[in-house]
Structure formats: C-alpha cells, structure tokens
Amino acid sequence: MRREAQNLLLILVGATIVKIALDGSYLRYVKASLQPYLLLSGGVIVLLGLIAIARDVRAGRAMADSHNESSRPYWMLLVPAAVILFLAPPALGTGAIPSAGPELVSATSPRRPLPPLAEGTPTMPLRELVHRVHAAPDTLHGRTIGTAGFVLPNEAGNGFDLGQLAIACCAADAQLLILHLDGPLPAGLTEGDWISVTGHITAGRAELATPSWPTMVVDEARRIDPPKITYGY
C-alpha cells in the first residue's frame, strides 16, 4: 500500500472514533465515562496521519512500500471503520447475552458503599437493586422501590421478567440482570419493550445466600421509551 493511502486510512480510522464519540453512538459499545479517552485517542490518530502527510509533502516524494509486503493488514482497518460509519450496529438486545447469575453480578458490582435510600419511593438502576438484594437487604425491607428495564419471557413461559444488560467497561463484558415480576403488567407487551415498575422485594429473597434472582411484587407498571443509555453500570 502506498504511503498516501496508509495516511488517509489512518485519518479515516481516527475520524471514525471521534465521530462516534461526538454523536453519542459510542454508548452502544462502551460506557459513558470512556468518551474523553475516545476523543483523545481518535484525535491523536488523526494528528499522526496529518503529520505523516505533511512530512511526505515536505520531503517532495511519495514513498511506496516494498512489493513484497502485503497490504491486506492495512486495508483490514477499513472494515470496522466502514461498519461503524455506514451500518452503525445497535446496542446489544434481549437475547444477546445469557444470564450470568445473581451471585456473579453481586461479586462484580462496584465495592463502593451503597448510599442510603431516599424517602418515599426511591428509583434506582436495576443493577443497584440486584446488588442491594445481596449486599444490603435490610435497606429494602418494607420499602417500595422503582426501577426500569426491558421485558423478556420468564422461565415458565407464562409472563415476563424485567431485564437489563450491565457492563463494566464495554459490550464485550455485558451481563444480563433479571428481576422476576409478580403482578399486573401493561397489556400487549412484547419481548424488548421497556417498562418502569414500582413495588417491593418479596420476603425471603433478599438474602446473600439465595442463589436466585430477586422477585418484585409489582404495584404499578407502565410502558416507557428506551433510554439513550440502555446499559447499566
């Protein structure tokens, strides 16, 4: 591959990283806190490409690679850039990841102290709720809690559970969180629809040794639009 093509390809890859970091589509693949690093790395790659072009122009020559060197590795960089630019793969969906098990999710949850619950009916991400069930069950006793997620068929096939994909860094380490639902749900739900629910965790489920997903007795449930960030952190 000629030097000019190599430099342009380098700029394209860097510009693609900057583009997805600015338009928000990066949230389909990595957590929000990584945006500054994407912008920095993409900018550095673009800058390297521009410096290489300027150096070649100043040298007054267009250098070519040896004919014995394969250009395939360089062109392979174009594939992910083209996919993200023109196809924009969506975020992972309901059937993309098998359930990891509540004990694994609890073990991999952040070790920071859990904040006290607000008065009234506090709303929390599904990951925090599952983590509280195992790490701090006393904080949930007698409390009505709100959370949200997508619906997926339960194991019995006669209703729906609530689910959400949680990531620690990126979509590659996603884990499926599950909250069993016991109570009325909106009519006409299909797999993948997003709902918000309020209710309380059933007695006997909020124990660290319980090797099962928690169950919520639902007081109220309603449809909602999918959030911009569908993953839990």
Side-chain angles (χ1 to χ4, degrees):
M1 180 184 292
R2 294 180 62 84
R3 284 274 302 184
E4 299 95 319
Q6 291 180 27
N7 296 335
L8 289 175
L9 185 57
L10 196 63
I11 292 174
L12 175 61
V13 172
T16 300
I17 297 174
V18 172
K19 182 256 184 188
I20 65 171
L22 291 176
D23 68 13
S25 57
Y26 77 99
L27 294 171
R28 303 174 184 178
Y29 322 117
V30 298
K31 61 193 306 183
S33 61
L34 296 180
Q35 185 190 38
Y37 302 101
L38 292 175
L39 289 171
L40 178 61
S41 60
V44 168
I45 292 174
V46 170
L47 182 61
L48 289 175
L50 293 175
I51 291 174
I53 290 176
R55 184 184 60 189
D56 290 346
V57 169
R58 240 183 329 211
R61 65 180 186 274
M63 294 180 292
D65 288 331
S66 169
H67 294 296
N68 296 325
E69 183 177 349
S70 172
S71 65
R72 184 175 301 174
Y74 300 105
W75 286 114
M76 289 298 290
L77 291 173
L78 184 60
V79 175
V83 168
I84 293 176
L85 277 175
F86 301 111
L87 298 181
L92 296 177
T94 58
I97 304 293
S99 171
E103 63 284 346
L104 177 58
V105 172
S106 181
T108 58
S109 294
R111 293 307 178 189
R112 59 180 178 270
L114 290 169
L117 292 180
E119 297 297 325
T121 303
T123 299
M124 66 183 67
L126 187 54
R127 179 163 191 163
E128 181 182 338
L129 177 57
V130 172
H131 184 41
R132 279 183 182 272
V133 166
H134 293 276
D138 292 343
T139 64
L140 299 173
H141 289 165
R143 298 299 303 270
T144 299
I145 305 296
T147 190
F150 54 73
V151 296
L152 65 162
N154 59 25
E155 292 183 353
N158 57 3
F160 290 100
D161 290 332
L162 193 71
Q164 188 179 28
L165 292 172
I167 63 174
C169 168
C170 57
D173 60 29
Q175 300 174 358
L176 176 60
L177 310 180
I178 294 176
L179 177 66
H180 299 307
L181 301 177
D182 181 9
L185 299 177
L189 287 176
T190 58
E191 183 176 359
D193 289 344
W194 278 74
I195 63 172
S196 65
V197 295
T198 57
H200 61 275
I201 302 299
T202 57
R205 295 285 185 173
E207 297 177 3
L208 180 61
T210 304
S212 60
W213 292 108
T215 297
M216 172 182 280
V217 176
V218 177
D219 298 326
E220 182 182 4
R222 62 182 179 88
R223 294 176 181 267
I224 60 172
D225 294 327
K228 180 180 179 180
I229 302 177
T230 59
Y231 298 121
Y233 303 141

PDB file of all heavy atoms in Angstrom, residues 220-233:
ATOM      1  N   GLU A 220     -47.245  -1.074  40.453  1.00  0.00           N
ATOM      2  CA  GLU A 220     -47.582  -0.289  39.262  1.00  0.00           C
ATOM      3  C   GLU A 220     -46.529  -0.521  38.202  1.00  0.00           C
ATOM      4  O   GLU A 220     -45.340  -0.644  38.505  1.00  0.00           O
ATOM      5  CB  GLU A 220     -47.653   1.198  39.615  1.00  0.00           C
ATOM      6  CG  GLU A 220     -48.044   2.095  38.445  1.00  0.00           C
ATOM      7  CD  GLU A 220     -48.059   3.558  38.818  1.00  0.00           C
ATOM      8  OE1 GLU A 220     -47.700   3.889  39.969  1.00  0.00           O
ATOM      9  OE2 GLU A 220     -48.412   4.383  37.948  1.00  0.00           O
ATOM     10  N   ALA A 221     -46.956  -0.591  36.958  1.00  0.00           N
ATOM     11  CA  ALA A 221     -46.048  -0.756  35.824  1.00  0.00           C
ATOM     12  C   ALA A 221     -46.603   0.016  34.640  1.00  0.00           C
ATOM     13  O   ALA A 221     -47.810   0.051  34.411  1.00  0.00           O
ATOM     14  CB  ALA A 221     -45.888  -2.234  35.465  1.00  0.00           C
ATOM     15  N   ARG A 222     -45.705   0.640  33.896  1.00  0.00           N
ATOM     16  CA  ARG A 222     -46.129   1.390  32.708  1.00  0.00           C
ATOM     17  C   ARG A 222     -45.040   1.331  31.652  1.00  0.00           C
ATOM     18  O   ARG A 222     -43.862   1.171  31.951  1.00  0.00           O
ATOM     19  CB  ARG A 222     -46.447   2.839  33.054  1.00  0.00           C
ATOM     20  CG  ARG A 222     -45.278   3.639  33.610  1.00  0.00           C
ATOM     21  CD  ARG A 222     -45.677   5.050  33.983  1.00  0.00           C
ATOM     22  NE  ARG A 222     -44.552   5.806  34.535  1.00  0.00           N
ATOM     23  CZ  ARG A 222     -43.698   6.488  33.791  1.00  0.00           C
ATOM     24  NH1 ARG A 222     -43.844   6.529  32.471  1.00  0.00           N
ATOM     25  NH2 ARG A 222     -42.697   7.145  34.354  1.00  0.00           N
ATOM     26  N   ARG A 223     -45.458   1.479  30.400  1.00  0.00           N
ATOM     27  CA  ARG A 223     -44.523   1.499  29.284  1.00  0.00           C
ATOM     28  C   ARG A 223     -43.711   2.799  29.296  1.00  0.00           C
ATOM     29  O   ARG A 223     -44.231   3.856  29.661  1.00  0.00           O
ATOM     30  CB  ARG A 223     -45.261   1.399  27.953  1.00  0.00           C
ATOM     31  CG  ARG A 223     -45.972   0.075  27.705  1.00  0.00           C
ATOM     32  CD  ARG A 223     -46.743   0.173  26.406  1.00  0.00           C
ATOM     33  NE  ARG A 223     -47.476  -1.036  26.107  1.00  0.00           N
ATOM     34  CZ  ARG A 223     -47.006  -2.039  25.351  1.00  0.00           C
ATOM     35  NH1 ARG A 223     -45.791  -1.939  24.827  1.00  0.00           N
ATOM     36  NH2 ARG A 223     -47.732  -3.107  25.125  1.00  0.00           N
ATOM     37  N   ILE A 224     -42.471   2.698  28.869  1.00  0.00           N
ATOM     38  CA  ILE A 224     -41.629   3.882  28.701  1.00  0.00           C
ATOM     39  C   ILE A 224     -40.825   3.726  27.411  1.00  0.00           C
ATOM     40  O   ILE A 224     -40.693   2.616  26.870  1.00  0.00           O
ATOM     41  CB  ILE A 224     -40.663   4.090  29.885  1.00  0.00           C
ATOM     42  CG1 ILE A 224     -39.727   2.878  30.040  1.00  0.00           C
ATOM     43  CG2 ILE A 224     -41.424   4.360  31.171  1.00  0.00           C
ATOM     44  CD1 ILE A 224     -38.631   3.087  31.066  1.00  0.00           C
ATOM     45  N   ASP A 225     -40.305   4.823  26.918  1.00  0.00           N
ATOM     46  CA  ASP A 225     -39.398   4.766  25.771  1.00  0.00           C
ATOM     47  C   ASP A 225     -38.036   4.258  26.230  1.00  0.00           C
ATOM     48  O   ASP A 225     -37.609   4.537  27.362  1.00  0.00           O
ATOM     49  CB  ASP A 225     -39.243   6.151  25.141  1.00  0.00           C
ATOM     50  CG  ASP A 225     -40.535   6.653  24.521  1.00  0.00           C
ATOM     51  OD1 ASP A 225     -41.302   5.815  24.023  1.00  0.00           O
ATOM     52  OD2 ASP A 225     -40.767   7.881  24.535  1.00  0.00           O
ATOM     53  N   PRO A 226     -37.325   3.533  25.388  1.00  0.00           N
ATOM     54  CA  PRO A 226     -35.983   3.103  25.759  1.00  0.00           C
ATOM     55  C   PRO A 226     -35.096   4.302  26.056  1.00  0.00           C
ATOM     56  O   PRO A 226     -35.154   5.308  25.342  1.00  0.00           O
ATOM     57  CB  PRO A 226     -35.487   2.351  24.516  1.00  0.00           C
ATOM     58  CG  PRO A 226     -36.723   1.932  23.800  1.00  0.00           C
ATOM     59  CD  PRO A 226     -37.725   3.017  24.062  1.00  0.00           C
ATOM     60  N   PRO A 227     -34.294   4.239  27.098  1.00  0.00           N
ATOM     61  CA  PRO A 227     -33.411   5.373  27.415  1.00  0.00           C
ATOM     62  C   PRO A 227     -32.285   5.487  26.409  1.00  0.00           C
ATOM     63  O   PRO A 227     -31.995   4.535  25.657  1.00  0.00           O
ATOM     64  CB  PRO A 227     -32.872   5.017  28.808  1.00  0.00           C
ATOM     65  CG  PRO A 227     -32.929   3.514  28.846  1.00  0.00           C
ATOM     66  CD  PRO A 227     -34.141   3.130  28.052  1.00  0.00           C
ATOM     67  N   LYS A 228     -31.627   6.634  26.401  1.00  0.00           N
ATOM     68  CA  LYS A 228     -30.493   6.823  25.497  1.00  0.00           C
ATOM     69  C   LYS A 228     -29.377   5.852  25.841  1.00  0.00           C
ATOM     70  O   LYS A 228     -28.738   5.290  24.952  1.00  0.00           O
ATOM     71  CB  LYS A 228     -29.992   8.272  25.593  1.00  0.00           C
ATOM     72  CG  LYS A 228     -28.804   8.575  24.697  1.00  0.00           C
ATOM     73  CD  LYS A 228     -28.345  10.014  24.833  1.00  0.00           C
ATOM     74  CE  LYS A 228     -27.134  10.295  23.938  1.00  0.00           C
ATOM     75  NZ  LYS A 228     -26.680  11.703  24.066  1.00  0.00           N
ATOM     76  N   ILE A 229     -29.144   5.668  27.133  1.00  0.00           N
ATOM     77  CA  ILE A 229     -28.145   4.683  27.592  1.00  0.00           C
ATOM     78  C   ILE A 229     -28.908   3.474  28.093  1.00  0.00           C
ATOM     79  O   ILE A 229     -29.549   3.513  29.139  1.00  0.00           O
ATOM     80  CB  ILE A 229     -27.267   5.276  28.713  1.00  0.00           C
ATOM     81  CG1 ILE A 229     -26.556   6.539  28.222  1.00  0.00           C
ATOM     82  CG2 ILE A 229     -26.248   4.253  29.175  1.00  0.00           C
ATOM     83  CD1 ILE A 229     -25.733   7.228  29.289  1.00  0.00           C
ATOM     84  N   THR A 230     -28.861   2.388  27.330  1.00  0.00           N
ATOM     85  CA  THR A 230     -29.649   1.198  27.695  1.00  0.00           C
ATOM     86  C   THR A 230     -28.905   0.275  28.654  1.00  0.00           C
ATOM     87  O   THR A 230     -29.529  -0.585  29.272  1.00  0.00           O
ATOM     88  CB  THR A 230     -30.029   0.406  26.436  1.00  0.00           C
ATOM     89  OG1 THR A 230     -28.830   0.011  25.735  1.00  0.00           O
ATOM     90  CG2 THR A 230     -30.892   1.250  25.510  1.00  0.00           C
ATOM     91  N   TYR A 231     -27.584   0.429  28.763  1.00  0.00           N
ATOM     92  CA  TYR A 231     -26.813  -0.441  29.643  1.00  0.00           C
ATOM     93  C   TYR A 231     -26.839   0.088  31.075  1.00  0.00           C
ATOM     94  O   TYR A 231     -27.006   1.285  31.328  1.00  0.00           O
ATOM     95  CB  TYR A 231     -25.351  -0.518  29.201  1.00  0.00           C
ATOM     96  CG  TYR A 231     -25.144  -1.106  27.829  1.00  0.00           C
ATOM     97  CD1 TYR A 231     -24.504  -0.371  26.834  1.00  0.00           C
ATOM     98  CD2 TYR A 231     -25.581  -2.382  27.522  1.00  0.00           C
ATOM     99  CE1 TYR A 231     -24.292  -0.907  25.570  1.00  0.00           C
ATOM    100  CE2 TYR A 231     -25.385  -2.931  26.259  1.00  0.00           C
ATOM    101  CZ  TYR A 231     -24.741  -2.176  25.295  1.00  0.00           C
ATOM    102  OH  TYR A 231     -24.546  -2.708  24.043  1.00  0.00           O
ATOM    103  N   GLY A 232     -26.679  -0.821  32.029  1.00  0.00           N
ATOM    104  CA  GLY A 232     -26.474  -0.439  33.415  1.00  0.00           C
ATOM    105  C   GLY A 232     -24.996  -0.526  33.740  1.00  0.00           C
ATOM    106  O   GLY A 232     -24.271  -1.370  33.207  1.00  0.00           O
ATOM    107  N   TYR A 233     -24.515   0.337  34.644  1.00  0.00           N
ATOM    108  CA  TYR A 233     -23.106   0.368  35.025  1.00  0.00           C
ATOM    109  C   TYR A 233     -22.949  -0.043  36.483  1.00  0.00           C
ATOM    110  O   TYR A 233     -23.804   0.239  37.306  1.00  0.00           O
ATOM    111  CB  TYR A 233     -22.512   1.760  34.842  1.00  0.00           C
ATOM    112  CG  TYR A 233     -22.648   2.304  33.438  1.00  0.00           C
ATOM    113  CD1 TYR A 233     -22.936   3.644  33.225  1.00  0.00           C
ATOM    114  CD2 TYR A 233     -22.504   1.485  32.328  1.00  0.00           C
ATOM    115  CE1 TYR A 233     -23.049   4.159  31.931  1.00  0.00           C
ATOM    116  CE2 TYR A 233     -22.634   1.984  31.047  1.00  0.00           C
ATOM    117  CZ  TYR A 233     -22.913   3.312  30.853  1.00  0.00           C
ATOM    118  OH  TYR A 233     -23.027   3.812  29.593  1.00  0.00           O
TER     119      TYR A 233
END
